[in-house]
Amino acid sequence: MGWNCKYDKQIAKALGLVFLCIFFWGCKNKDNTDDQTEDYSQYIKIDSDVTYMAVTNLTNESVYFKNFGEFKSSSRQIECDNYDIDEFNLYVPKKVDIQMHSKINKDMQSARSAYVNASVSAGTNKLDEDNIFWYIKNPMENSYTFIEQKTKLKWSEDTSHCRVYSFGTEELFPDENEKPNSIYQTIADKFDLIFEKETNICGKNYLDSYPAIYITPDENSKIDILIYDINGDGEINSNDQSGIVGYFSPNDFYYNNSNSNKREVFYIDSYWLKDNPEEVFSTLAHEFNHMLNFINKTCKYGIVYDTWFTEMLAMCAEDLLQDTLDLRDYYSPKNRLDYFNIYSYYGFIDPWESNVSRVQLIGYANTYAFGAYLLRNYGGADLFYELATNSYVDSAAISQALIKSGYSEDFESVVRKFHEVFLNIQNKFPSLASLNIECDSKVNEISYHLSKINLTESYYNPDNVDSNGNHLEWYGPVSYYFKPMSRNSETLDSCGFVVINMAEYQDMYFNNYNSNLIYNFY
């Protein structure tokens, strides 16, 4: 880690055409003739042609902007007023996907010898016949309340890979199960579309053998999908693009838990299904991936992954299956990238520890952006297959997958390059990574497609208005002017980066740089 200088004049000139720079801090420039006689012998001279500096944090600790290093200019001095970036509010509502792995997994691992082996709960195959399910009252709470509920089977066919159950949906979908193309059948059809392609790259939904604590699905087991008003907020949020779209709970895989459904099941919100069915279709791939991730990592190898890792895989699965589901970008994880454009400095590891929903949404955006960058620059579905099925998790899984895919890279080296996606938005520079890459790949003769991502097409709408009272919309990544380092409150978090515009400052000198950070100059 530490000093790393990388520079290309042609890149710097072209970047100015596509890179959005916003001056958040009210800075005043003034002449400072005293600087001309100051001793710079202990400073590193920065090339006068440098346009951007990218700073990346590879440590597990947050680093305050003010601790980036000491920068001076021999020609002028800068005075900056503080501005609280937390007041820069976004008006881009987002879905929230709740993933239950980390908390429940860690609670259960210590009791693995206390359970006995058992088959999967069979369920029923008769439409509208009652079935009992446990569901979580409010998945957003820190401690979960499980409720037992009578449900009805709404769709099942021998040739389908799933069964669809619901409760409390009669007013939303009256007599739907009697229609030849009901919403329940549509859910099953969409799931059947992705089942083979997703298990092909994520691992199967069953194992040859299981540890004694788990239920034991086999090749004939069906996936159950339970549709209900998650969190009981449907009527309140029915006109809002917020709330929980779906979740998967590993609790259902533990045989001896009194509130386990003892079946392979995930949960979908009924109001989201009514108002935004395309969003739900993408969520099917997302939640099924969480299930497959749990089976092929935790059940198979006894390892527990961090939230950022399983969320990255789940959103990348949505990305890889977007064409299969025939979804527009708006209903894919690409719709999250507006947050990444402005909050890249949060990284993709720390936001998951926050209880603040906005910070968690930033976590989704940054984590997806990192996964999308990996897939588009390191092999597409082939890399994903290695990530999802090897015997490692988190950063080690990425390092091993890169090696297995033939790259002389590891987790640290790809994080070092992650910022390049801000600098190579149009993919004009082969030496830099980009998201604007179309990628086609095959795994076991099954084809997968990843479309190009142009970050300038992702916009954010801040709480800011022009002189006429119109809200301003800005497109593309944010670069900061030189003095964010003077701020006391903002931090560069683990695996985060920030790009700083240095074009206005000549005769720059750099000293006391932070050895825990990576600096790149362009």
Side-chain angles (χ1 to χ4, degrees):
M1 295 184 289
W3 182 265
N4 183 8
C5 188
K6 189 174 183 180
Y7 173 63
D8 189 310
K9 291 184 181 180
Q10 296 302 317
I11 290 176
K13 290 178 181 178
L15 288 173
L17 299 177
V18 297
F19 211 86
L20 170 64
C21 303
I22 296 177
F23 204 166
F24 280 125
W25 295 270
C27 296
K28 305 171 186 176
N29 298 327
K30 66 179 184 180
D31 293 333
N32 184 8
T33 56
D34 292 339
D35 280 350
Q36 296 177 1
T37 59
E38 189 168 345
D39 181 11
Y40 289 99
S41 61
Q42 301 302 313
Y43 286 73
I44 297 171
K45 178 72 165 63
I46 297 175
D47 194 314
S48 61
D49 288 332
V50 165
T51 303
Y52 296 106
M53 177 177 71
V55 186
T56 301
N57 183 2
L58 282 174
T59 73
N60 293 323
E61 303 295 329
S62 298
V63 178
Y64 283 104
F65 281 9
K66 66 177 182 179
N67 293 331
F68 281 7
E70 183 179 359
F71 292 78
K72 290 188 177 182
S73 170
S74 62
S75 58
R76 58 181 177 170
Q77 176 180 324
I78 306 163
E79 294 178 355
C80 288
D81 300 324
N82 274 336
Y83 183 89
D84 188 356
I85 201 168
D86 288 334
E87 294 177 5
F88 190 83
N89 296 322
L90 300 180
Y91 283 117
V92 184
K94 288 292 171 186
K95 68 177 181 180
V96 177
D97 159 72
I98 298 300
Q99 197 280 117
M100 324 288 290
H101 290 74
S102 301
K103 182 174 181 296
I104 294 180
N105 268 359
K106 291 171 183 175
D107 291 344
M108 296 299 175
Q109 293 303 311
S110 61
R112 101 177 9 243
S113 63
Y115 296 88
V116 296
N117 209 352
S119 60
V120 180
S121 177
T124 182
N125 285 313
K126 295 181 180 180
L127 292 184
D128 278 331
E129 187 164 293
D130 291 340
N131 271 247
I132 301 298
F133 274 84
W134 290 92
Y135 73 96
I136 298 173
K137 181 179 180 181
N138 184 357
M140 295 291 284
E141 293 179 344
N142 290 327
S143 58
Y144 306 128
T145 301
F146 290 88
I147 297 176
E148 193 174 25
Q149 175 67 45
K150 185 183 294 184
T151 71
K152 291 186 179 296
L153 179 66
K154 291 297 185 180
W155 184 260
S156 178
E157 280 191 346
D158 292 341
T159 57
S160 177
H161 294 289
C162 69
R163 295 176 296 220
V164 181
Y165 297 84
S166 74
F167 71 88
T169 61
E170 292 77 10
E171 292 185 5
L172 289 176
F173 310 114
D175 303 321
E176 275 288 306
N177 57 305
E178 297 177 6
K179 297 179 181 178
N181 295 300
S182 72
I183 189 65
Y184 306 113
Q185 180 183 348
T186 301
I187 284 288
D189 289 345
K190 293 293 184 180
F191 184 77
D192 287 336
L193 270 180
I194 64 173
F195 181 87
E196 182 180 1
K197 295 191 74 168
E198 192 156 6
T199 53
N200 183 54
I201 54 174
C202 303
K204 297 185 182 300
N205 65 307
Y206 62 90
L207 302 175
D208 294 332
S209 62
Y210 292 83
I213 61 173
Y214 299 122
I215 59 173
T216 57
D218 58 31
E219 65 273 17
N220 297 314
S221 297
K222 290 182 181 288
I223 308 300
D224 289 334
I225 302 171
L226 177 58
I227 299 170
Y228 73 102
D229 179 11
I230 298 174
N231 208 26
D233 61 354
E235 293 184 1
I236 297 173
N237 290 333
S238 59
N239 295 319
D240 235 352
Q241 301 296 310
S242 62
I244 302 170
V245 186
Y247 69 91
F248 160 70
S249 173
N251 181 67
D252 294 318
F253 274 72
Y254 292 94
Y255 177 71
N256 251 16
N257 273 18
S258 60
N259 49 26
S260 168
N261 286 310
K262 302 177 182 61
R263 61 177 81 191
E264 296 181 303
V265 56
F266 58 84
Y267 307 82
I268 293 295
D269 184 77
S270 54
Y271 277 83
W272 273 93
L273 178 58
K274 178 179 181 293
D275 295 335
N276 294 279
E278 290 179 285
E279 192 86 66
V280 169
F281 300 155
S282 190
T283 301
L284 295 175
H286 187 112
E287 301 306 333
F288 188 39
N289 184 266
H290 282 320
M291 181 187 294
L292 295 174
N293 203 189
F294 179 76
I295 293 169
N296 290 283
K297 295 289 188 180
T298 300
C299 294
K300 186 173 184 177
Y301 296 112
I303 49 180
V304 180
Y305 35 76
D306 286 342
T307 301
W308 71 265
F309 179 72
T310 189
E311 291 297 347
M312 181 188 74
L313 290 179
M315 286 183 282
C316 285
E318 291 183 80
D319 198 356
L320 285 160
L321 296 169
Q322 181 182 344
D323 276 11
T324 303
L325 290 167
D326 192 25
L327 298 177
R328 293 170 288 169
D329 285 351
Y330 183 83
Y331 296 106
S332 78
K334 298 180 181 73
N335 191 32
R336 300 182 181 275
L337 291 173
D338 48 354
Y339 277 79
F340 172 61
N341 277 346
I342 186 172
Y343 292 120
S344 61
Y345 59 87
Y346 273 75
F348 53 82
I349 294 179
D350 292 341
W352 301 105
E353 303 300 321
S354 174
N355 291 323
V356 179
S357 60
R358 180 178 67 88
V359 176
Q360 290 178 349
L361 292 173
I362 293 169
Y364 278 106
N366 293 355
T367 303
Y368 166 62
F370 182 65
Y373 146 73
L374 288 178
L375 295 190
R376 284 164 176 79
N377 290 272
Y378 297 97
D382 293 295
L383 180 74
F384 184 92
Y385 172 79
E386 297 298 336
L387 286 170
T389 61
N390 68 25
S391 58
Y392 300 86
V393 294
D394 308 336
S395 60
I398 292 174
S399 294
Q400 290 299 318
L402 288 165
I403 293 171
K404 187 71 179 293
S405 300
Y407 295 96
S408 299
E409 301 264 17
D410 59 13
F411 176 74
E412 181 176 308
S413 70
V414 293
V415 174
R416 281 172 178 259
K417 298 175 181 178
F418 185 25
H419 69 273
E420 293 177 3
V421 303
F422 270 22
L423 304 173
N424 196 17
I425 296 173
Q426 305 298 337
N427 193 25
K428 293 182 178 180
F429 312 109
S431 62
L432 298 184
S434 179
L435 288 174
N436 205 339
I437 296 173
E438 191 170 30
C439 180
D440 290 291
S441 51
K442 284 187 177 182
V443 175
N444 297 324
E445 300 304 313
I446 296 179
S447 298
Y448 299 86
H449 176 74
L450 292 166
S451 61
K452 297 178 180 180
I453 296 174
N454 186 341
L455 288 175
T456 61
E457 294 175 357
S458 296
Y459 73 90
Y460 44 92
N461 187 345
D463 187 12
N464 200 354
V465 295
D466 61 19
S467 58
N468 296 319
N470 299 313
H471 281 284
L472 303 176
E473 292 181 351
W474 285 305
Y475 290 76
V478 167
S479 68
Y480 298 92
Y481 277 89
F482 183 70
K483 290 296 285 187
M485 285 77 78
S486 68
R487 295 169 51 74
N488 295 321
S489 60
E490 293 305 319
T491 59
L492 182 63
D493 297 329
S494 182
C495 296
F497 68 84
V498 62
V499 174
I500 297 167
N501 189 315
M502 304 179 71
E504 291 192 2
Y505 308 98
Q506 303 298 318
D507 300 319
M508 293 297 299
Y509 294 84
F510 186 20
N511 192 23
N512 296 325
Y513 62 88
N514 193 317
S515 61
N516 290 320
L517 301 177
I518 303 298
Y519 301 82
N520 290 276
F521 294 87
Y522 299 86

